[in-house]
Amino acid sequence: MQNQTLWLKSPAAIFTGNALNAGNGLVIKGNKIVELVPSGMKPKIHVDSYIDCSNQVVTPGLINTHHHFYQTLTRAVPGALNKPLFPWLKYLYQIWKNLDEEMIYTATQLAGLELMLSGATCIADHHYVFPKGLEQAIDIQVEAINSLGCRATLTRGSMSLGKSKGGLPPDSVIQDEDTILQDSQRLISKYHDNSDDGFIQIALAPCSPFSVSTTLMQDTAQLAKENNVMLHTHLAETEDENNFCMQQYGMRPLDYLEHCDWLGNKTWLAHGIHFNQDEIKRLGQANVGIAHCPSSNMLLASGICPTVELESAGCNIGLAVDGSASNDCSNMMQEVRQSLLQQRLRYGAEVITAKRVLGYATTGSAAVLQRPTIGMFDIGMQADLAIFSLDELRFSGVGSPLDGLITCGASHVDKLMVGGNWQIENTEHCALLSKQIMDKHQYLAKKLQSQNFVL
Ligand code: ZN
């Protein structure tokens, strides 16, 4: 439909992500939004076709800011259940060290598909496990994402501080600094599309303070600066991490981050829970982005992200499902609901509204990933959108369809458009990928979890 115009007509509700009125829908031409139609009005431009959305809710495509796709192969693994972060990680590293290329391809496809079915049009992943034989992990992920038709920010993760040097991961899953930096440069040169509407973008992402050397943190920041790409890591997820940083480096995680030259607007952090007031102020002044991961933080009992304080200080807040070993699903709409419920406990019902948490998953996430042409509806923005049908028992009798989308628990889209192309119609990926990917994924998950390991 390159030159055709399409009107998404009269939605039951629409979330634009800004103050604009699109009560009577949107007009799309090619890969862009060309008109917002206010309530009671008709489009000014000629429309070639329309879709009646009177029983549907339309939102900008949701944007997931943090994940570990490979972890879909280790969901609810018995030996890792009911453990906090550090012992949970130590157990799972012993399984993850056996990941291979087929596994990373299939896990990326499955997680991507799961996210898209839940409304996501742009997804970020943080892959940091590089055992022998998996040196091409990010190349494989690019190929897998291209088969799905969504946008992605793939981060070249890394771990260089193995157990023998005081780190947490086993030595077999880490790489040396030179290898990591050379591969990071190679991936940026090969895949990073720095245009505003780029489909694949690359960012650099040392795993966390407890698995990466100080030199690697500093050199990665320098490399990111030279290439004008973003930086990402886990930070302030647990009190254990604070204690680790005090013992290992003599400073708290944020001081350590600053020491490594990471405090700036090209950095986004996963979790961001255990900060004091002064740290929140410094993060806001530097415009650091936060990937808020409520389900994972509750499952691992890590804590509650202080979203409102961080936002008031100047941080962008995006939403994320986190890896599938600590969620264990990759459903963005359910994550929006989790954020609403969790954050209300801290800030109250008047402060945490449906619009606010939907904003985290759209405009907030787009700002975190620095993608200026997605995350809201306006003329000239990319046609990335999710359409949820209200034709389900859970929505029957709903008063406010937009609020009900979250409080009644929407979990899957009816249709999903990325850059003007339908990728999901009638709740199924247009390439009919679900069944074939799932069969292969289940086989590989069984294979990975059954391999012998030594703790
Ligand atoms: Zn994570």
Side-chain angles (χ1 to χ4, degrees):
M1 50 173 268
Q2 249 346 306
N3 294 310
Q4 300 282 302
T5 47
L6 170 69
W7 179 20
L8 301 179
K9 187 185 170 192
S10 314
I14 185 164
F15 176 71
T16 57
N18 50 37
L20 297 171
N21 181 345
N24 217 16
L26 303 170
V27 182
I28 292 151
K29 184 176 183 184
N31 61 357
K32 290 190 175 144
I33 295 164
V34 291
E35 188 175 346
L36 271 62
V37 189
S39 311
M41 306 287 277
K42 287 197 167 150
K44 287 185 185 134
I45 58 172
H46 167 77
V47 290
D48 296 301
S49 60
Y50 71 89
I51 295 174
D52 178 4
C53 297
S54 55
N55 199 29
Q56 292 170 317
V57 179
V58 182
T59 71
L62 309 182
I63 301 166
N64 186 45
T65 54
H66 182 72
H67 204 308
H68 311 287
F69 295 156
Y70 74 90
Q71 290 183 6
T72 58
L73 295 160
T74 52
R75 299 188 218 242
V77 170
L81 291 173
N82 312 325
K83 288 186 164 72
L85 183 70
F86 276 20
W88 172 89
L89 269 173
K90 279 183 187 164
Y91 186 88
L92 286 168
Y93 280 139
Q94 299 298 330
I95 299 180
W96 297 337
K97 70 183 184 188
N98 293 314
L99 281 169
D100 65 24
E101 292 190 341
E102 194 182 20
M103 290 172 184
I104 192 80
Y105 183 82
T106 309
T108 302
Q109 269 193 320
L110 185 118
L113 188 56
E114 206 186 339
L115 285 162
M116 289 171 80
L117 287 165
S118 71
T121 51
C122 181
I123 59 185
D125 191 55
H126 184 183
H127 186 81
Y128 53 83
V129 184
F130 288 84
K132 257 201 169 2
L134 201 55
E135 291 80 3
Q136 308 289 310
I138 308 298
D139 302 75
I140 293 166
Q141 287 199 299
V142 171
E143 202 186 320
I145 291 295
N146 286 340
S147 76
L148 298 173
C150 62
R151 295 178 207 275
T153 296
L154 297 172
T155 71
R156 203 302 180 185
S158 53
M159 296 198 289
S160 64
L161 195 67
K163 213 170 170 182
S164 62
K165 288 185 194 155
L168 207 66
D171 289 356
S172 64
V173 295
I174 65 159
Q175 293 178 305
D176 66 70
E177 278 86 354
D178 285 348
T179 306
I180 292 165
L181 293 166
Q182 275 168 24
D183 194 49
S184 300
Q185 182 60 64
R186 178 185 72 80
L187 290 164
I188 295 167
S189 307
K190 192 166 180 189
Y191 298 114
H192 182 64
D193 179 351
N194 63 5
S195 54
D196 283 350
D197 55 357
F199 265 66
I200 299 286
Q201 297 197 336
I202 301 290
L204 303 183
C207 185
S208 62
F210 48 82
S211 54
V212 173
S213 66
T214 304
T215 355
L216 184 62
M217 287 293 285
Q218 290 166 332
D219 291 350
T220 304
Q222 181 58 31
L223 189 65
K225 208 174 274 176
E226 285 165 16
N227 287 277
N228 197 28
V229 299
M230 296 196 68
L231 279 170
H232 180 50
T233 192
H234 294 99
L235 205 83
E237 183 174 1
T238 62
E239 289 291 356
D240 282 351
E241 179 191 321
N242 285 6
N243 296 337
F244 179 93
C245 285
M246 287 307 292
Q247 274 168 18
Q248 183 91 357
Y249 308 114
M251 51 187 123
R252 285 170 56 85
L254 190 69
D255 295 327
Y256 179 64
L257 208 70
E258 190 162 24
H259 170 73
C260 295
D261 201 18
W262 270 60
L263 262 197
N265 68 354
K266 299 289 278 185
T267 294
W268 90 100
L269 306 172
H271 307 298
I273 298 170
H274 299 281
F275 294 127
N276 60 34
Q277 289 307 314
D278 170 62
E279 290 167 338
I280 289 175
K281 201 168 142 198
R282 284 156 60 203
L283 283 159
Q285 278 165 352
N287 297 125
V288 170
I290 303 290
H292 161 46
C293 308
S295 295
S296 167
N297 297 160
M298 289 190 280
L299 201 90
L300 294 176
S302 303
I304 299 178
C305 176
T307 55
V308 173
E309 282 96 336
L310 285 162
E311 217 177 354
S312 312
C315 292
N316 289 309
I317 308 290
L319 194 69
V321 299
D322 200 6
S324 296
S326 65
N327 184 328
D328 295 317
C329 74
S330 309
N331 191 305
M332 272 300 281
M333 263 320 281
Q334 286 182 14
E335 202 63 32
V336 171
R337 188 170 193 270
Q338 294 283 44
S339 172
L340 180 95
L341 300 177
Q342 185 208 46
Q343 293 290 311
R344 276 193 175 188
L345 285 178
R346 172 161 286 190
Y347 298 110
E350 296 92 342
V351 175
I352 304 298
T353 61
K355 281 189 178 166
R356 185 166 196 149
V357 287
L358 260 181
Y360 292 157
T362 53
T363 49
S365 288
V368 164
L369 297 182
Q370 299 196 345
R371 285 177 172 269
T373 63
I374 58 173
M376 69 168 76
F377 292 144
D378 198 355
I379 292 169
M381 297 289 276
Q382 286 287 302
D384 283 21
L385 54 94
I387 299 182
F388 297 85
S389 169
L390 296 171
D391 191 18
E392 283 186 57
L393 294 178
R394 67 172 75 227
F395 298 116
S396 184
V398 70
S400 162
L402 187 66
D403 291 84
L405 192 69
I406 296 155
T407 55
C408 301
S411 67
H412 59 86
V413 288
D414 181 34
K415 292 184 178 60
L416 188 81
M417 179 180 270
V418 190
N421 293 313
W422 292 117
Q423 295 297 348
I424 291 172
E425 287 188 280
N426 299 320
T427 74
E428 172 61 280
H429 192 276
C430 295
L432 299 173
L433 293 167
S434 303
K435 177 82 177 104
Q436 66 194 72
I437 294 176
M438 199 164 72
D439 286 349
K440 196 168 171 197
H441 185 272
Q442 283 176 346
Y443 162 76
L444 292 170
K446 207 169 274 179
K447 183 176 162 190
L448 181 66
Q449 290 176 35
S450 65
Q451 296 188 24
N452 289 332
F453 65 92
V454 189
L455 271 179

